[in-house]
Amino acid sequence: MTTTEITQRPVDDAAAALHWSAGADPRRDLVADWRAMRSAHCHVDHALSTAVAQVGLSLVEFTVLDILEEQVDAHLRMQDVACVAALTTGATTRLVGRLESRGLLRRVICASDRRGIYTELTDDGRDLLATARPVHDAALRACLEDPATVAAVSSAAAAISRR
């Protein structure tokens, strides 16, 4: 197939383009399957980001507030926040600073280890989370009930697990 033939072939979406490229080189099938999985993940992330933006949060901000509320004492050490948010230490410090300046969380020094700093949810953070969670969960439910998304994730996961 020539380059001209490839560019003229209609492709409806990114997942179809990734699926279509699988098999072109059997040595690259694993990469194509991984890309299909990432494409489905990005689709869900985008839907969730759009949903929580309606209440003034980014997806990573929502994730941090949501995880904080689920903790027994509603707080986490900064390094745990970094892990949950999949951010570097510096990016986590900036994120916590932004959320703290908005009054959504606060930093608290650990009583048992004065070097440790906890990030703790505030009442305003709980209130905003109570508004954001139903919006987030509805968007997640819609994505995970969409037959195309389910098929893309299932197909890619099955292909990867067979390896």
Side-chain angles (χ1 to χ4, degrees), residues 62-89:
F62 171 84
T63 300
V64 168
L65 296 178
D66 192 45
I67 292 293
L68 278 170
E69 189 181 55
E70 291 177 355
Q71 302 310 301
V72 173
D73 298 323
H75 67 257
L76 284 172
R77 286 183 172 266
M78 288 290 282
Q79 64 264 29
D80 295 327
V81 173
C83 184
V84 164
L87 296 173
T88 64
T89 303

Side-chain angles (χ1 to χ4, degrees), residues 20-38:
W20 178 59
S21 69
D25 181 348
R27 297 168 299 176
R28 303 286 294 166
D29 283 350
L30 180 63
V31 173
D33 292 337
W34 177 247
R35 286 179 181 156
M37 178 71 83
R38 296 265 308 139

Side-chain angles (χ1 to χ4, degrees), residues 111-163:
S112 62
D113 178 2
R114 305 276 309 156
R115 296 170 296 166
I117 298 175
Y118 285 110
T119 303
E120 190 172 83
L121 197 58
T122 63
D123 289 340
D124 286 347
R126 276 186 188 80
D127 292 345
L128 183 56
L129 184 58
T131 301
R133 190 176 275 148
V135 174
H136 171 275
D137 293 356
L140 181 59
R141 191 173 301 102
C143 285
L144 297 181
E145 289 175 352
D146 174 41
T149 302
V150 171
V153 170
S154 297
S155 173
I160 290 168
S161 69
R162 284 192 299 269
R163 300 194 191 290

Side-chain angles (χ1 to χ4, degrees), residues 11-22:
V11 176
D12 294 331
D13 57 27
L18 291 173
H19 178 65
W20 178 59
S21 69

